[in-house]
């Protein structure tokens, strides 16, 4: 065969190839336009034009199911074309489950988990076994899901609690000892008021706690205080202190160690057993370091009745305590400022421009937790106080 003939054959084949490529390019572009039209007929047409496109078949199944038609054929085609898409196997499993073909559904869920090592198939399997009441198979998949879980895991935690109310069973069977998971589970238990169940989770978290764990541990402590569960709150606080999560010391109310950060050496955390300072309008708060003291400035525009400072203090039963604090004030003789320990005791008004000791003795009675507050109350007929008050060296001790 001559070179000229060969050259002509090559040219003809090239033209044919370009023609075929152009045809398929136009066909696929038209299929895409039909898909974007997003009607049942147009998506079906797109699937006919590009039958190897799993996405077209998957979306056609979605549309047909929404319209009340059987999507199973399109789902099977889509999963055959793209067998690594676990979402397709899960959708097929849900369809089989809806027809009460539980054996088929289970196999499809398991296939999704085999091809996809991520969270979604494990979450789907845990849900499935919860729905059919198979607790023995539920727990391994719930734990696997949590081991690789991310984001908001509260739906899975709620699922565990729907399977059983036994918090210890949930902890031992489903909860990995990973700080990130323990942190989220503790937050969930705190929000749901499962405070007894939260105690061993907090213990595990504290044992390996880092800076990221401090907020939720303090929130848990706050909730225990809110529920008047003083011994449990003190345990959380002391465990965090001993672990070095923060630089404040442990509490021992039976030995008179009931006040935190009394020397104001650290900025108040506004949580748990540390000081909480005022956020009221017309009051500003600053802390000096040398010497350590807390300063409140009242502009005269503060509310008529408000708190400047407070702290929850744990108490031993039937003990007598003495609170002492040094202060100086420019608010005048009728400052309207008094210290209170719940309803147990109240001090005289604080006044005087020179450093003075304020002392308040009070019995605990049967109380295990009270609020120590520095409050302002405008006296009838008086103008609102304007000026500043400084505090330092606050202590609480048992009366000998």
């Amino acid at each position: 065969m001559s070179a000229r003939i060969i050259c002509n054959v090559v040219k003809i084949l090239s033209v044919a190839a370009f023609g075929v490529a152009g045809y398929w390019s136009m066909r696929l572009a038209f299929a895409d336009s039909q898909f974007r039209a997003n009607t049942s007929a147009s998506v079906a047409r797109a699937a006919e034009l590009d039958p190897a496109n799993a996405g077209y078949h998957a979306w056609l199944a979605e549309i047909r199911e929404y319209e009340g038609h059987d999507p199973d054929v399109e789902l099977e085609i889509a999963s055959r074309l793209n067998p690594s898409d676990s979402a397709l196997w899960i959708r097929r499993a849900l369809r089989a489950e809806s027809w009460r073909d539980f054996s088929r559904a289970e196999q499809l869920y398991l296939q999704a988990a085999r091809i996809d090592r991520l969270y979604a198939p494990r979450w789907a399997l845990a849900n499935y076994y919860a729905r059919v009441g198979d607790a023995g198979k539920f727990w391994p998949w719930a734990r696997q899901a949590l081991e690789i879980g991310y984001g908001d895991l509260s739906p899975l935690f709620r699922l565990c609690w729907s399977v059983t109310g036994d918090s210890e069973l949930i902890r031992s069977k489903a909860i990995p000892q990973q700080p990130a998971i323990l942190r989220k589970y503790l937050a969930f238990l705190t929000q749901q008021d499962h405070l007894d169940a939260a105690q061993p989770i907090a213990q595990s978290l504290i044992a390996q706690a880092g800076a990221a764990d401090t907020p939720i541990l303090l929130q848990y402590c706050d909730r225990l205080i809110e529920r008047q569960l003083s011994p449990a709150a003190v345990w959380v606080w002391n465990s965090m202190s001993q672990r070095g999560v923060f630089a404040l010391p442990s509490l021992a109310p039976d030995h008179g160690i009931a006040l935190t950060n009394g020397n104001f050496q650290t900025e108040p955390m506004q949580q748990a057993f540390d000081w909480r300072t005022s956020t009221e309008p017309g009051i500003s708060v600053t802390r000096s370091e040398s010497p350590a003291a807390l300063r409140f400035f009242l502009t005269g525009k503060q509310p008529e009745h408000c708190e400047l400072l407070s702290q929850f203090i744990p108490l031993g039963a039937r003990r007598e305590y003495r609170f002492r604090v040094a202060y100086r004030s420019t608010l005048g003789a009728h400052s309207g400022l008094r210290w209170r320990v719940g309803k147990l005791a109240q001090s005289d008004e604080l006044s005087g421009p020179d450093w003075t000791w304020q002392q308040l003795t009070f019995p605990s009675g049967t109380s295990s937790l009270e609020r120590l507050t520095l409050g302002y109350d405008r006296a009838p007929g008086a103008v609102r106080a304007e000026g500043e008050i400084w505090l330092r060296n606050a202590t609480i001790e048992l009366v000998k």
Side-chain angles (χ1 to χ4, degrees), residues 239-293:
S239 298
M240 293 175 71
S241 174
Q242 292 157 15
R243 171 71 180 170
V245 175
F246 47 64
L248 296 170
S250 297
L251 295 165
D254 285 329
H255 300 287
I257 305 173
L259 191 72
T260 295
N261 197 12
N263 56 11
F264 306 109
Q265 289 288 343
T266 64
E267 197 70 34
M269 290 192 294
Q270 316 292 339
Q271 283 187 278
F273 289 108
D274 201 0
W275 296 108
R276 301 162 196 245
T277 56
S278 175
T279 59
E280 296 283 1
I283 301 174
S284 63
V285 188
T286 55
R287 186 180 67 89
S288 65
E289 296 187 357
S290 184

Side-chain angles (χ1 to χ4, degrees), residues 8 51 138 199 300 335 337 347 368:
N8 289 335
F138 167 80
Q199 197 270 344
S335 67
L337 295 178
S347 74
S368 63

Side-chain angles (χ1 to χ4, degrees), residues 24-62:
W24 278 105
S25 177
M26 293 175 64
R27 177 172 174 148
L28 295 178
F30 182 59
D32 182 65
S33 69
Q34 290 291 292
F35 178 75
R36 291 176 186 278
N38 201 30
T39 67
S40 179
S42 68
V43 175
R45 179 60 176 150
E48 289 176 7
L49 292 167
D50 187 4
N53 191 314
Y56 291 173
H57 292 282
W59 189 242
L60 181 56
E62 195 81 27

Side-chain angles (χ1 to χ4, degrees), residues 286-300:
T286 55
R287 186 180 67 89
S288 65
E289 296 187 357
S290 184
L294 213 57
R295 170 187 174 271
F296 294 86
F297 180 72
L298 282 65
T299 65

Side-chain angles (χ1 to χ4, degrees), residues 58-199:
W59 189 242
L60 181 56
E62 195 81 27
I63 292 175
R64 286 188 172 170
E65 186 170 18
Y66 176 78
E67 293 177 344
H69 304 304
D70 187 350
D72 290 341
V73 171
E74 295 300 327
L75 284 174
E76 289 176 15
I77 294 171
S79 62
R80 185 171 66 249
L81 292 170
N82 188 9
S84 63
D85 186 347
S86 62
L88 294 171
W89 295 98
I90 292 171
R91 287 175 64 189
R92 291 179 64 189
L94 286 167
R95 289 286 302 168
E97 190 180 346
S98 71
W99 289 105
R100 304 189 67 79
D101 188 348
F102 297 115
S103 176
R104 174 76 172 151
E106 182 179 27
Q107 292 307 310
L108 291 167
Y109 282 124
L110 290 170
Q111 175 63 13
R114 276 192 291 270
I115 63 175
D116 185 345
R117 296 299 199 181
L118 299 180
Y119 177 81
R122 281 142 190 81
W123 160 247
L125 271 161
N127 265 284
Y128 170 72
Y129 288 124
R131 286 194 295 271
V132 299
D134 192 336
K137 292 181 178 178
F138 167 80
W139 295 113
W141 289 108
R143 188 179 185 93
Q144 284 189 41
L146 285 169
E147 284 173 346
I148 58 176
Y150 56 90
D152 181 13
L153 298 177
S154 55
L156 185 46
F157 296 142
R158 278 194 290 272
L159 186 64
C160 291
W161 279 87
S162 74
V163 171
T164 180
D166 186 338
S167 62
E168 179 56 26
L169 180 63
I170 295 171
R171 187 193 67 80
S172 63
K173 292 285 190 179
I175 308 301
Q177 296 299 296
Q178 302 169 10
I181 304 303
L182 293 172
R183 190 185 313 136
K184 291 178 181 181
Y185 189 43
L186 181 59
F188 169 81
L189 294 173
T190 300
Q191 292 162 4
Q192 298 297 313
D193 256 359
H194 295 307
L195 300 183
D196 290 340
Q199 197 270 344

